[in-house]
């Protein structure tokens, strides 16, 4: 199993939790909701792909069509109010949220693959690095989406009754999911770097163990063969003998050494 150590297990848990939060936020239409203080609000709730109106009519345009219920934001019936319903910041939020969702979808099968990959497999480091990169990019895209929507979503020039419009629970899930994807991706990348250096150290130690002993043995043999041979028992130098009592020592020959006792 490829997630045997603690850091990878923590990264896996955070990433799965973040995936679920952002996918729920991506699919639910409660990014912007009315607070319920109005008796008959013309706007009730909105998500990335769905908007709900209640007898809504745009007073800035001359038509008698009134919109009720919840429909897809790109519905043909909304064509006459697309310039009002789909401002530039809302399109940008949809774009970056979709990029975050795509990065999560790419990382999901890779996460499942790493569960079945051994740590000794050559693909293990590549999977860790790829998952970490996808999650960091997803976090950046998601963060841009939630910051943009948080700054512009409840502005007075968009949905009616802006004083009573608040960010909904789908938006809160998107914020938590996008933020938590970042530490999960960083943990994967740190673990990939640690595993890579661990393998490099193992390779270097293996090379030293295989070739180092032969090298040192050859060096020692060369040093022994080049040294001059010496006998094991070296002869001791002769010492002058002491004269016996009552006997005159004889003078040694010129240049000789006295050896009689």
């Amino acid at each position: 199993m490829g997630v045997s150590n603690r850091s990878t297990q923590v990264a896996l848990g955070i990433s799965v939790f973040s995936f679920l939060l952002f996918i729920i936020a991506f699919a639910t239409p409660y990014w912007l909701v009315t607070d319920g203080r109005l008796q008959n609000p013309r706007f009730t709730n909105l998500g990335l792909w769905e908007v709900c109106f209640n007898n809504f009519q745009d007073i800035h345009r001359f038509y008698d069509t009134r919109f009720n219920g919840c429909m897809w934001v790109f519905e043909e019936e909304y064509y006459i109010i697309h310039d009002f319903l789909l401002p530039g910041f809302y399109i940008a939020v949809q774009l970056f949220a979709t990029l975050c969702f795509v990065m999560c979808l790419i990382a999901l099968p890779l996460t499942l693959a790493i569960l079945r990959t051994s740590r000794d497999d050559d693909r293990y480091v590549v999977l860790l690095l790829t998952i970490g990169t996808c999650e960091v990019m997803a976090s950046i895209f998601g963060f841009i989406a939630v910051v943009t929507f948080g700054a512009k979503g409840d502005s007075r020039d968009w949905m009616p009754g802006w004083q009573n419009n608040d960010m909904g629970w789908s938006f809160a899930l998107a914020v938590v999911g996008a933020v938590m994807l970042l530490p999960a991706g960083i943990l994967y990348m740190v673990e990939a770097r640690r595993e890579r250096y661990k393998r490099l150290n193992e390779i270097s130690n293996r090379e030293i163990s295989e070739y180092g002993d032969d090298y040192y043995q050859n060096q020692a043999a060369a040093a022994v063969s080049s040294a001059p041979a010496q006998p094991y028992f070296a002869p001791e130098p002769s010492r002058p003998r002491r004269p016996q009592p009552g006997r005159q020592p004889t003078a040694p020959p010129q240049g000789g050494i006295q050896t009689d006792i």
Side-chain angles (χ1 to χ4, degrees):
M1 184 178 179
V3 289
S4 57
N5 58 338
R6 183 176 297 274
S7 61
T8 312
Q9 292 174 355
V10 172
L12 177 63
I14 296 176
S15 61
V16 171
F17 185 67
S18 303
F19 288 170
L20 293 177
L21 292 183
F22 197 86
I23 289 173
I24 293 173
F26 187 79
T28 52
Y30 296 98
W31 283 55
L32 185 68
V33 297
T34 184
D35 58 5
R37 297 178 182 178
L38 298 177
Q39 293 295 330
N40 294 307
R42 292 183 297 166
F43 163 77
T44 56
N45 59 280
L46 172 139
L48 292 178
W49 315 107
E50 186 178 358
V51 61
C52 300
F53 291 120
N54 180 26
N55 200 25
F56 171 76
Q57 184 182 19
D58 191 355
I59 62 176
H60 300 290
R61 291 163 179 81
F62 297 99
Y63 53 81
D64 297 331
T65 305
R66 295 181 181 271
F67 300 97
N68 290 281
C70 300
M71 285 187 290
W72 187 39
V73 294
F74 299 106
E75 189 69 34
E76 186 177 358
E77 295 184 18
Y78 288 153
Y79 176 75
I80 56 178
I81 59 170
H82 270 181
D83 54 344
F84 159 77
L85 183 60
L86 301 173
F89 83 90
Y90 186 58
I91 298 297
V93 171
Q94 290 177 325
L95 173 63
F96 285 107
T98 302
L99 291 175
C100 178
F101 181 71
V102 170
M103 290 293 102
C104 291
L105 290 182
I106 294 175
L108 182 60
L110 298 177
T111 304
L112 297 177
I114 204 171
L115 295 176
R116 304 172 60 87
T117 304
S118 173
R119 293 174 61 91
D120 299 329
D121 198 322
D122 295 336
R123 299 172 299 174
Y124 183 73
V125 177
V126 178
L127 286 174
L128 286 176
L129 189 59
T130 306
I131 294 172
T133 304
C134 289
E135 293 189 1
V136 170
M137 294 178 62
S139 177
I140 294 173
F141 293 145
F143 186 75
I144 294 174
V146 297
V147 168
T148 304
F149 191 85
K152 296 287 188 177
D154 58 349
S155 61
R156 65 177 64 198
D157 55 351
W158 195 30
M159 288 297 162
W162 63 273
Q163 303 93 334
N164 300 99
N165 294 337
D166 296 325
M167 298 298 166
W169 58 267
S170 297
F171 176 78
L173 293 183
V175 171
V176 176
V179 171
M180 292 184 65
L181 281 171
L182 183 61
I186 292 176
L187 284 175
Y188 275 118
M189 297 176 74
V190 169
E191 182 61 26
R193 183 181 179 87
R194 182 186 304 171
E195 189 68 23
R196 180 173 177 269
Y197 278 108
K198 179 181 177 181
R199 293 190 178 186
L200 291 177
N201 290 333
E202 290 178 354
I203 292 173
S204 61
N205 293 335
R206 190 181 305 117
E207 290 178 352
I208 291 174
S209 63
E210 289 178 355
Y211 302 105
D213 294 342
D214 294 340
Y215 174 78
Y216 289 121
Q217 289 177 3
N218 294 333
Q219 291 293 324
V224 170
S225 61
S226 62
Q230 296 182 356
Y232 186 77
F233 296 101
E236 295 184 357
S238 59
R239 295 177 298 175
R241 298 181 179 180
R242 295 180 181 179
Q244 295 181 358
R247 184 178 178 181
Q248 295 295 329
T250 59
Q254 188 68 25
I257 299 175
Q258 182 178 359
T259 58
D260 55 342
I261 298 175

